[in-house]
Amino acid sequence: GAGVSQSPSNKVTEKGKDVELRCDPISGHTALYWYRQSLGQGLEFLIYFQGNSAPDKSGLPSDRFSAERTGGSVSTLTIQRTQQEDSAVYFCASSLGSRTRNEQFFGPGTRLTVL
Amino acid sequence: AQSVTQLGSHVSVSEGALVLLRCNYSSSVPPYLFWYVQYPNQGLQLLLKYTTGATLVKGINGFEAEFKKSETSFHLTKPSAHMSDAAEYFCAVSVNTGFQKLVFGTGTRLLVSP
């Protein structure tokens, strides 16, 4: 079956521009996570959605970052006024639920380059 | 706060040799521990996980890991490396926040030579 998909796969933007990254989770998965992987680093948690509950935004690095999840399915991560330090690979993951036994399935990522 | 340390950003082995990737964790509560593999230009794939029970955990592709509380370790091993095992491996711990918030190590790139 279809896995987690993300678009675009690559995005190059100029400093100061806004970008939107899209995630399509696996159908039926109620939990959705965003992570980012900066060069040479492990993945860093950004935000978590579970069903229709308020998201956990504790990992967002600044107020330039926001995310929404429409209809409990597709999610969009928006970065406003991009900075060079925002350059990273942004991963989306989804799982059947939020418990530890529920495996997170990761998408292929969006590579963001801010010039 | 929970954290993960992976010793060695790169590990090189010959095909057929033992693979040992090291992971140490810090956690104030009983941890849930994970190993993920990332192939080039792909997302992460779960290799194995420890939650409770048996401390030796077997995963996919012949990998296994042993949870050692006294050493705060969760090292990943495979008896005989294959060329196809070349990838980046991440150890992660689940933070006790009510959902599966993962804290990742910085990764170890495994290189396998013929």
Side-chain angles (χ1 to χ4, degrees), chain B residues 42-94:
Chain B
Q42 294 186 27
L44 277 69
Q45 180 183 4
L46 181 65
L47 272 179
L48 51 80
K49 66 182 179 184
Y50 168 79
T51 54
T52 59
T55 56
L56 181 62
V57 181
K58 295 185 183 298
I60 61 172
N61 301 337
F63 285 92
E64 62 182 36
E66 186 171 10
F67 169 61
K68 292 187 176 181
K69 183 179 179 180
S70 61
E71 298 178 7
T72 61
S73 69
F74 191 57
H75 301 330
L76 182 70
T77 60
K78 183 174 180 178
S80 176
H82 294 173
M83 297 295 291
S84 60
D85 294 327
E88 185 126 24
Y89 292 79
F90 292 94
C91 183
V93 62
S94 179

Side-chain angles (χ1 to χ4, degrees), chain A residues 11-15 19 36-41 44 64-65 79 82-90 110-115:
Chain A
K11 176 70 176 180
V12 180
T13 191
E14 294 180 350
K15 178 181 174 181
V19 296
R36 74 174 175 181
Q37 184 181 24
S38 301
L39 188 64
Q41 300 298 312
E44 172 191 16
R64 295 186 296 104
F65 287 72
I79 309 173
T82 53
Q83 303 294 313
Q84 289 184 332
E85 60 263 29
D86 299 334
S87 296
V89 181
Y90 290 80
T110 293
R111 181 174 299 277
L112 174 65
T113 303
V114 182
L115 302 177

Side-chain angles (χ1 to χ4, degrees), chain A residues 33 35 37 40-45 48 56 58-59 89 91 98-109 111, chain B residues 32 34 36 38 41-47 49-51 88 90 94 97-107:
Chain A
Y33 305 77
Y35 296 86
Q37 184 181 24
Q41 300 298 312
L43 277 71
E44 172 191 16
F45 166 79
Y48 158 74
D56 184 306
S58 59
V89 181
F91 287 101
S98 59
R99 293 183 178 274
T100 301
R101 62 174 176 265
N102 298 126
E103 178 181 348
Q104 291 187 31
F105 293 84
F106 285 78
R111 181 174 299 277
Chain B
Y32 293 162
F34 306 78
Y36 284 84
Q38 184 182 28
N41 300 314
Q42 294 186 27
L44 277 69
Q45 180 183 4
L46 181 65
L47 272 179
K49 66 182 179 184
Y50 168 79
T51 54
E88 185 126 24
F90 292 94
S94 179
T97 60
F99 66 92
Q100 194 193 99
K101 178 180 176 181
L102 297 174
V103 173
F104 286 85
T106 53

